[in-house]
Amino acid sequence: VRRTSGHQWTCSDVTFHCTSQRLCEQWIHVINEQLSFHTNRPRSLLVYINPYGGKRQGRRVYEQKVAPLFHRAHISADVIVTERANHARDHLKTEAELDKYDGVVCVGGDGMFSEILHGLVTRTQADSGVDQDQPDAELVPCSLHIGIIPAGSTDCICFATVGTNDPVTSALHIIVGDSQPMDVCSVHHNNSFLRYSVSLLGYGFYGDVLSDSERNRWQGPARYDLSGVKTFLSHNYYEGTVSFLPAESNKGDPRDELKLNGKPVCLVCSQQGSTLHAQKYKNLQGQERREKANELLVIHGKFLAINAANMSCACPRSPKGLSPSAHLADGNTDLILVRKCSRLDFFRHLLRHTNKDDQFDHSFVEVHRVRRFRFQPRHHELASLEDLSEGLKKSGFSPICVTQTTCNYSTTHSSWTCDGEILPHADIQVSVHRQLIRLFARGIEEEQQQQRSVFEDLGPHLALEPSLHWTVD
Ligand SMILES: CCCCCCCCCCCCC/C=C/[C@@H](O)[C@H](COP(=O)(O)O)NC(=O)CCCCCCCCCCCCCCC
Ligand SMILES: Nc1ncnc2c1ncn2[C@@H]1O[C@H](COP(=O)(O)OP(=O)(O)O)[C@@H](O)[C@H]1O
Ligand SMILES: [Ca+2]
């Protein structure tokens, strides 16, 4: 494997020249033996292809670019081309013989990844007797790794965990058996399970973009830009209450520039205990300590957007993403609140997602790193307002003022987008489950790491140094 620019990997050939047939055979034997010691490499994969994702190239991408590489790496693959939405999810949930495989690969976009995620996580909980309807249930991590061959519209899960959306690079991360743990958010409504999310949970702006874009799916990836402009121009804002449990104090800040992104070296993701957290509350005792450590913060307001970014959400549209310093595996999500502001200010904020400026450095934007949160839209409070208006009517006051004020606050209600799918409820509770899944990826590498040979990272067995090449000659 050779690294090229922009986090891309390509195949590279090494030619060994031998003086005799016998020596050549010895070398082949030794190399195959050494490769067999590397047990992290997958040998058998279950592949799902969404033929309708993105620009509808999933099948071609897999057959022309990925399958030949798996073949060369002696990886066997059982391929299922999906015939309908949720085909992959349902197959994984009930039918798939998971014991036969070392990993599951999805060829498609974030929506297709979401199907694999739901299939695998639900299957694992069912097999372990865990009830996913309980918002505080401790979920059991999935044993199979997931690989993503990008062939969708946004591909942010691939981009934010690999650094690029290139099918060959992703195939090579699968072949070498890279492993990247990743947090998963569970979303509940009134104590019943709705969905899991790994990338963006967005209410207001992104929820509206997604709802509108579903009608224009035939346009492919461009549907998001068109709906983006439409939603931007309609400039709706929504009122509600966000309550959240902040992250432990040792988990970094959404505005720090750590950018370690959940790699093995990332101190934030690898921290086991909660030492600093414990220190913060060390002078408190028993119940009081527990309450303080679990203190919910409550914010009420009028918002253009409420976004929870469980990962950076970097994608070709926004190379640093919605929350550039978010970690992949720290057990937290970054909650971004964009309050009502002028169109021009909101445009400035959006534009900063495409350049190096800090998109959080606006008076109307705040960002919190959180373990859990809940959103309650204002219309849920309406019930009590209606009670109030009844009461006022009885006491001789006109109820009209109450209703009118409510209607003027925001034009309509929004929906949540959950990794690109629309949720049926606005009142949701979200909890982060630390490192619930593992991907065939290694996070985004920094420059120095990129200088090294890929095989140096795989341990001594595969470190075929150039000097060895010369010995063979
Ligand atoms: C002025 C330019 C503003 C550019 C702002 C770009 C911000 C982009 C942040 C993207 C975060 C993406 C998070 C990923 C979510 C995905 O899981 C999910 C599903 O993906 P899939 O279809 O591959 O299955 N995708 C999405 O939710 C798509 C979100 C895309 C939003 C595009 C918004 C474009 C906004 C354009 C506003 C233009 C204002 C112009 C005024 C004249
Ligand atoms: N064979 C199929 N026919 C129709 N829809 C499908 C099929 N397979 C998967 N889907 C659905 O297509 C949607 C979009 O898939 P995705 O691969 O994420 O593409 P995109 O990134 O363009 O949205 C997902 O919601 C997925 O459930
Ligand atoms: Ca996280």
Side-chain angles (χ1 to χ4, degrees):
V1 174
R2 189 164 52 86
R3 291 182 167 94
T4 61
S5 62
H7 303 283
Q8 291 210 1
W9 289 9
T10 59
C11 273
S12 116
D13 291 307
V14 179
T15 310
F16 292 79
H17 300 272
C18 286
T19 46
S20 75
Q21 170 92 14
R22 207 181 63 80
L23 188 58
C24 176
E25 277 160 12
Q26 263 181 351
W27 269 104
I28 292 173
H29 175 74
V30 170
I31 289 171
N32 280 334
E33 191 180 63
Q34 295 293 312
L35 281 168
S36 71
F37 290 140
H38 190 74
T39 49
N40 290 343
R41 267 166 38 81
R43 274 135 225 276
S44 171
L45 296 169
L46 176 56
V47 180
Y48 294 98
I49 303 177
N50 175 2
Y52 301 112
K55 296 180 184 149
R56 302 176 172 234
Q57 298 293 311
R59 221 175 160 148
R60 195 185 59 83
V61 163
Y62 182 78
E63 279 162 12
Q64 294 183 2
K65 298 192 170 176
V66 178
L69 293 180
F70 285 172
H71 182 74
R72 280 175 72 182
H74 298 293
I75 293 175
S76 69
D78 287 342
V79 180
I80 296 177
V81 179
T82 61
E83 287 161 12
R84 55 175 174 88
N86 294 327
H87 179 170
R89 185 199 65 183
D90 296 343
H91 185 257
L92 273 170
K93 250 191 199 172
T94 49
E95 282 171 59
E97 289 178 65
L98 297 183
D99 298 343
K100 280 171 50 185
Y101 304 105
D102 304 311
V104 179
V105 172
C106 73
V107 184
D110 294 344
M112 193 56 189
F113 175 84
S114 179
E115 282 202 29
I116 306 298
L117 170 77
H118 283 81
L120 267 188
V121 174
T122 306
R123 171 84 173 257
T124 308
Q125 307 323 306
D127 289 351
S128 327
V130 176
D131 177 8
Q132 44 182 13
D133 276 331
Q134 302 302 322
D136 51 3
E138 193 159 321
L139 301 180
V140 177
C142 301
S143 54
L144 292 184
H145 278 74
I146 308 177
I148 310 174
I149 304 294
S153 299
T154 315
D155 296 323
C156 110
I157 302 164
C158 178
F159 200 96
T161 54
V162 173
T164 179
N165 57 338
D166 169 52
V168 169
T169 304
S170 288
L172 293 171
H173 280 284
I174 296 171
I175 288 169
V176 303
D178 273 341
S179 179
Q180 170 67 56
M182 198 159 71
D183 300 335
V184 175
C185 293
S186 65
V187 186
H188 288 79
H189 167 75
N190 284 346
N191 290 332
S192 72
F193 171 75
L194 288 182
R195 277 191 87 83
Y196 293 113
S197 163
V198 291
S199 64
L200 168 67
L201 267 164
Y203 186 81
F205 183 71
Y206 290 102
D208 294 351
V209 171
L210 254 289
S211 305
D212 187 74
S213 68
E214 272 310 293
R215 288 191 280 273
N216 302 317
R217 184 162 268 287
W218 56 272
Q219 291 176 347
R223 69 191 184 278
Y224 291 136
D225 302 311
L226 187 77
S227 298
V229 173
K230 260 172 83 179
T231 308
F232 172 80
L233 292 175
S234 56
H235 200 63
N236 287 338
Y237 62 91
Y238 305 94
E239 190 169 6
T241 305
V242 186
S243 34
F244 61 87
L245 182 64
E248 294 169 6
S249 50
N250 55 355
K251 293 296 185 185
D253 186 89
R255 295 188 66 181
D256 61 30
E257 293 295 358
L258 278 171
K259 298 223 181 85
L260 289 167
N261 239 328
K263 288 188 297 300
V265 288
C266 173
L267 296 174
V268 174
C269 290
S270 58
Q271 243 157 12
Q272 283 301 318
S274 48
T275 353
L276 285 169
H277 189 59
Q279 268 170 12
K280 189 173 167 193
Y281 298 110
K282 72 171 181 245
N283 297 329
L284 302 173
Q285 293 299 315
Q287 183 64 21
E288 190 188 1
R289 182 168 167 164
R290 274 193 296 278
E291 276 168 16
K292 276 273 179 220
N294 287 310
E295 218 160 29
L296 284 181
L297 295 181
V298 180
I299 296 177
H300 181 89
K302 296 165 192 167
F303 305 102
L304 285 174
I306 297 169
N307 302 322
N310 183 41
M311 55 167 62
S312 69
C313 293
C315 58
R317 274 188 184 79
S318 170
K320 60 179 183 161
L322 283 178
S323 188
S325 303
H327 294 263
L328 295 169
D330 64 339
N332 300 298
T333 186
D334 288 354
L335 185 61
I336 305 159
L337 307 176
V338 185
R339 289 176 191 268
K340 189 186 158 202
C341 62
S342 69
R343 275 195 181 81
L344 183 62
D345 277 343
F346 189 47
F347 181 73
R348 286 195 182 112
H349 165 68
L350 286 179
L351 197 61
R352 288 186 182 183
H353 291 80
T354 63
N355 59 31
K356 289 209 160 70
D357 293 342
D358 179 2
Q359 64 260 43
F360 305 134
D361 189 16
H362 294 285
S363 58
F364 53 90
V365 178
E366 55 189 283
V367 55
H368 304 272
R369 186 155 286 171
V370 310
R371 285 178 273 172
R372 286 197 263 131
F373 74 92
R374 177 173 184 187
F375 175 69
Q376 290 160 289
R378 188 179 160 89
H379 70 259
H380 275 263
E381 295 156 29
L382 258 182
S384 54
L385 275 175
E386 274 155 12
D387 292 348
L388 176 68
S389 73
E390 275 303 306
L392 288 172
K393 214 173 357 183
K394 279 183 197 145
S395 60
F397 285 95
S398 157
I400 296 164
C401 58
V402 176
T403 329
Q404 274 189 345
T405 325
T406 314
C407 296
N408 286 344
Y409 271 127
S410 93
T411 43
T412 48
H413 297 295
S414 182
S415 327
W416 284 94
T417 161
C418 174
D419 296 6
E421 302 293 314
I422 296 298
L423 297 181
H425 299 282
D427 182 339
I428 59 166
Q429 293 156 266
V430 177
S431 308
V432 187
H433 300 267
R434 189 165 179 256
Q435 307 191 355
L436 194 64
I437 55 169
R438 282 171 300 164
L439 300 187
F440 286 120
R442 56 169 71 177
I444 297 171
E445 295 183 306
E446 279 166 286
E447 287 306 314
Q448 309 109 300
Q449 286 172 302
Q450 286 192 56
Q451 306 304 318
R452 293 208 309 266
S453 141
V454 171
F455 287 106
E456 275 175 63
D457 303 342
L458 294 176
H461 295 313
L462 293 180
L464 296 173
E465 296 293 335
S467 57
L468 206 57
H469 178 118
W470 287 110
T471 318
V472 179
D473 276 357

